[in-house]
Short mmCIF file of all heavy atoms in Angstrom, two decimals:
data_model
loop_
_atom_site.label_atom_id
_atom_site.label_comp_id
_atom_site.label_asym_id
_atom_site.label_seq_id
_atom_site.Cartn_x
_atom_site.Cartn_y
_atom_site.Cartn_z
N GLY A 3 48.61 72.81 74.95
CA GLY A 3 49.25 72.58 73.66
C GLY A 3 49.80 73.89 73.08
O GLY A 3 49.43 74.98 73.50
N GLU A 4 50.70 73.75 72.12
CA GLU A 4 51.34 74.92 71.51
C GLU A 4 51.16 74.84 69.99
O GLU A 4 51.36 73.78 69.40
CB GLU A 4 52.82 74.90 71.88
CG GLU A 4 53.65 75.97 71.24
CD GLU A 4 55.14 75.79 71.55
OE1 GLU A 4 55.51 74.87 72.29
OE2 GLU A 4 55.92 76.60 71.03
N MET A 5 50.77 75.95 69.37
CA MET A 5 50.61 75.98 67.91
C MET A 5 51.92 76.43 67.28
O MET A 5 52.58 77.34 67.78
CB MET A 5 49.47 76.91 67.51
CG MET A 5 48.12 76.42 67.98
SD MET A 5 46.68 77.27 67.31
CE MET A 5 47.13 78.98 67.35
N LEU A 6 52.26 75.79 66.16
CA LEU A 6 53.49 76.09 65.42
C LEU A 6 53.20 76.16 63.93
O LEU A 6 52.22 75.57 63.46
CB LEU A 6 54.51 74.95 65.61
CG LEU A 6 54.84 74.44 66.98
CD1 LEU A 6 55.57 73.12 66.88
CD2 LEU A 6 55.71 75.45 67.68
N PRO A 7 54.07 76.81 63.18
CA PRO A 7 53.94 76.71 61.72
C PRO A 7 54.14 75.25 61.30
O PRO A 7 54.96 74.54 61.91
CB PRO A 7 55.08 77.59 61.20
CG PRO A 7 55.47 78.47 62.35
CD PRO A 7 55.16 77.70 63.58
N PRO A 8 53.43 74.80 60.30
CA PRO A 8 53.51 73.39 59.90
C PRO A 8 54.92 72.93 59.54
O PRO A 8 55.29 71.79 59.78
CB PRO A 8 52.59 73.28 58.69
CG PRO A 8 51.76 74.50 58.70
CD PRO A 8 52.46 75.53 59.51
N ASP A 9 55.74 73.83 59.00
CA ASP A 9 57.10 73.43 58.60
C ASP A 9 58.03 73.24 59.80
O ASP A 9 59.13 72.73 59.66
CB ASP A 9 57.69 74.43 57.60
CG ASP A 9 57.76 75.85 58.13
OD1 ASP A 9 56.94 76.21 59.00
OD2 ASP A 9 58.65 76.60 57.68
N GLU A 10 57.59 73.64 60.99
CA GLU A 10 58.39 73.43 62.20
C GLU A 10 57.93 72.22 63.00
O GLU A 10 58.42 71.96 64.10
CB GLU A 10 58.32 74.68 63.09
CG GLU A 10 58.99 75.89 62.49
CD GLU A 10 58.90 77.11 63.40
OE1 GLU A 10 58.66 76.95 64.62
OE2 GLU A 10 59.07 78.23 62.88
N ALA A 11 56.99 71.46 62.44
CA ALA A 11 56.44 70.30 63.15
C ALA A 11 57.48 69.21 63.30
O ALA A 11 58.26 68.93 62.39
CB ALA A 11 55.23 69.76 62.40
N GLY A 12 57.50 68.62 64.47
CA GLY A 12 58.36 67.48 64.73
C GLY A 12 57.59 66.19 64.54
O GLY A 12 56.38 66.20 64.25
N PRO A 13 58.24 65.07 64.73
CA PRO A 13 57.58 63.78 64.50
C PRO A 13 56.43 63.49 65.46
O PRO A 13 55.53 62.73 65.12
CB PRO A 13 58.71 62.76 64.67
CG PRO A 13 59.79 63.47 65.39
CD PRO A 13 59.64 64.93 65.10
N ASP A 14 56.43 64.09 66.64
CA ASP A 14 55.37 63.84 67.61
C ASP A 14 54.26 64.89 67.56
O ASP A 14 53.30 64.81 68.32
CB ASP A 14 55.94 63.79 69.03
CG ASP A 14 56.86 62.60 69.23
OD1 ASP A 14 56.62 61.56 68.58
OD2 ASP A 14 57.80 62.71 70.02
N ASP A 15 54.41 65.91 66.70
CA ASP A 15 53.41 66.97 66.60
C ASP A 15 52.27 66.55 65.68
O ASP A 15 52.43 65.68 64.82
CB ASP A 15 54.05 68.26 66.07
CG ASP A 15 55.13 68.79 67.00
OD1 ASP A 15 55.05 68.55 68.21
OD2 ASP A 15 56.07 69.45 66.50
N VAL A 16 51.14 67.17 65.85
CA VAL A 16 49.96 66.89 65.03
C VAL A 16 49.81 68.05 64.04
O VAL A 16 49.70 69.21 64.44
CB VAL A 16 48.69 66.79 65.91
CG1 VAL A 16 47.46 66.56 65.05
CG2 VAL A 16 48.85 65.69 66.94
N VAL A 17 49.83 67.72 62.75
CA VAL A 17 49.67 68.74 61.71
C VAL A 17 48.23 68.72 61.22
O VAL A 17 47.69 67.68 60.86
CB VAL A 17 50.64 68.49 60.53
CG1 VAL A 17 50.44 69.53 59.44
CG2 VAL A 17 52.09 68.48 61.01
N LEU A 18 47.61 69.90 61.26
CA LEU A 18 46.21 70.03 60.83
C LEU A 18 46.16 70.62 59.43
O LEU A 18 46.89 71.57 59.13
CB LEU A 18 45.45 70.92 61.81
CG LEU A 18 45.46 70.45 63.27
CD1 LEU A 18 44.75 71.47 64.15
CD2 LEU A 18 44.83 69.08 63.41
N SER A 19 45.30 70.04 58.61
CA SER A 19 45.17 70.50 57.22
C SER A 19 43.78 71.03 56.97
O SER A 19 42.81 70.60 57.60
CB SER A 19 45.44 69.33 56.26
OG SER A 19 46.74 68.82 56.44
N TRP A 20 43.71 71.96 56.01
CA TRP A 20 42.43 72.50 55.58
C TRP A 20 42.46 72.59 54.06
O TRP A 20 43.38 73.17 53.50
CB TRP A 20 42.22 73.89 56.20
CG TRP A 20 40.91 74.52 55.80
CD1 TRP A 20 40.72 75.40 54.80
CD2 TRP A 20 39.65 74.30 56.40
NE1 TRP A 20 39.41 75.75 54.72
CE2 TRP A 20 38.72 75.09 55.71
CE3 TRP A 20 39.19 73.52 57.44
CZ2 TRP A 20 37.37 75.10 56.03
CZ3 TRP A 20 37.86 73.55 57.76
CH2 TRP A 20 36.96 74.34 57.06
N ALA A 21 41.47 71.99 53.43
CA ALA A 21 41.36 72.00 51.97
C ALA A 21 42.66 71.53 51.31
O ALA A 21 43.12 72.11 50.33
CB ALA A 21 40.96 73.38 51.48
N GLY A 22 43.28 70.50 51.89
CA GLY A 22 44.47 69.90 51.29
C GLY A 22 45.78 70.59 51.62
O GLY A 22 46.83 70.14 51.16
N SER A 23 45.76 71.67 52.38
CA SER A 23 46.99 72.37 52.74
C SER A 23 47.22 72.29 54.24
O SER A 23 46.28 72.44 55.02
CB SER A 23 46.91 73.85 52.34
OG SER A 23 46.76 73.99 50.95
N ASP A 24 48.48 72.09 54.62
CA ASP A 24 48.83 72.10 56.04
C ASP A 24 48.70 73.53 56.57
O ASP A 24 49.25 74.47 55.99
CB ASP A 24 50.25 71.60 56.26
CG ASP A 24 50.40 70.12 55.92
OD1 ASP A 24 49.38 69.41 55.89
OD2 ASP A 24 51.54 69.68 55.70
N VAL A 25 47.94 73.70 57.64
CA VAL A 25 47.65 75.02 58.17
C VAL A 25 48.41 75.32 59.45
O VAL A 25 48.99 76.39 59.61
CB VAL A 25 46.13 75.17 58.43
CG1 VAL A 25 45.81 76.54 59.00
CG2 VAL A 25 45.34 74.92 57.17
N VAL A 26 48.44 74.37 60.35
CA VAL A 26 49.06 74.60 61.64
C VAL A 26 49.50 73.25 62.22
O VAL A 26 48.92 72.21 61.92
CB VAL A 26 48.10 75.33 62.63
CG1 VAL A 26 46.93 74.45 63.01
CG2 VAL A 26 48.82 75.82 63.86
N ALA A 27 50.55 73.29 63.03
CA ALA A 27 50.97 72.11 63.77
C ALA A 27 50.68 72.35 65.24
O ALA A 27 50.76 73.49 65.71
CB ALA A 27 52.46 71.85 63.55
N VAL A 28 50.31 71.31 65.94
CA VAL A 28 50.03 71.41 67.37
C VAL A 28 51.00 70.51 68.11
O VAL A 28 51.09 69.31 67.81
CB VAL A 28 48.57 71.00 67.69
CG1 VAL A 28 48.31 71.09 69.18
CG2 VAL A 28 47.59 71.87 66.91
N ARG A 29 51.72 71.09 69.03
CA ARG A 29 52.64 70.33 69.88
C ARG A 29 51.95 70.12 71.21
O ARG A 29 51.67 71.05 71.95
CB ARG A 29 53.96 71.09 70.08
CG ARG A 29 54.93 70.32 70.96
CD ARG A 29 56.35 70.84 70.81
NE ARG A 29 56.79 70.61 69.44
CZ ARG A 29 57.70 71.36 68.81
NH1 ARG A 29 58.26 72.39 69.43
NH2 ARG A 29 58.05 71.10 67.57
N LEU A 30 51.61 68.87 71.46
CA LEU A 30 50.94 68.53 72.71
C LEU A 30 51.95 68.44 73.84
O LEU A 30 53.09 68.03 73.62
CB LEU A 30 50.20 67.20 72.55
CG LEU A 30 49.12 67.20 71.47
CD1 LEU A 30 48.55 65.80 71.28
CD2 LEU A 30 48.02 68.19 71.81
N PRO A 31 51.56 68.82 75.03
CA PRO A 31 52.49 68.76 76.16
C PRO A 31 52.74 67.32 76.58
O PRO A 31 51.97 66.42 76.25
CB PRO A 31 51.75 69.53 77.26
CG PRO A 31 50.32 69.33 76.94
CD PRO A 31 50.24 69.29 75.43
N GLN A 32 53.80 67.12 77.31
CA GLN A 32 54.05 65.83 77.91
C GLN A 32 52.95 65.56 78.92
O GLN A 32 52.36 66.47 79.49
CB GLN A 32 55.42 65.82 78.61
CG GLN A 32 56.59 66.03 77.67
CD GLN A 32 56.69 64.93 76.63
OE1 GLN A 32 56.56 63.76 76.95
NE2 GLN A 32 56.90 65.30 75.39
N LEU A 33 52.65 64.31 79.18
CA LEU A 33 51.56 63.97 80.10
C LEU A 33 51.76 64.58 81.48
O LEU A 33 50.81 65.03 82.11
CB LEU A 33 51.42 62.45 80.22
CG LEU A 33 50.75 61.75 79.04
CD1 LEU A 33 50.77 60.25 79.24
CD2 LEU A 33 49.35 62.25 78.84
N ALA A 34 53.00 64.62 81.95
CA ALA A 34 53.26 65.19 83.28
C ALA A 34 52.88 66.67 83.31
O ALA A 34 52.33 67.17 84.29
CB ALA A 34 54.72 65.00 83.66
N ASP A 35 53.15 67.39 82.22
CA ASP A 35 52.76 68.80 82.14
C ASP A 35 51.24 68.93 82.12
O ASP A 35 50.69 69.85 82.72
CB ASP A 35 53.34 69.46 80.89
CG ASP A 35 54.86 69.53 80.91
OD1 ASP A 35 55.44 69.50 82.02
OD2 ASP A 35 55.46 69.62 79.83
N SER A 36 50.57 67.99 81.44
CA SER A 36 49.11 68.02 81.39
C SER A 36 48.52 67.84 82.78
O SER A 36 47.53 68.47 83.13
CB SER A 36 48.58 66.91 80.48
OG SER A 36 48.98 67.15 79.15
N LEU A 37 49.14 67.00 83.60
CA LEU A 37 48.64 66.79 84.96
C LEU A 37 48.71 68.09 85.76
O LEU A 37 47.78 68.43 86.47
CB LEU A 37 49.43 65.68 85.66
CG LEU A 37 49.02 65.36 87.09
CD1 LEU A 37 47.53 65.06 87.20
CD2 LEU A 37 49.85 64.19 87.62
#
Side-chain angles (χ1 to χ4, degrees):
E4 175 186 358
M5 295 191 318
L6 310 165
D9 59 332
E10 293 180 20
D14 294 328
D15 298 331
V16 177
V17 178
L18 303 176
S19 300
W20 180 265
S23 298
D24 293 340
V25 179
V26 67
V28 179
R29 180 162 297 153
L30 299 174
Q32 297 298 316
L33 284 176
D35 294 337
S36 295
L37 180 54

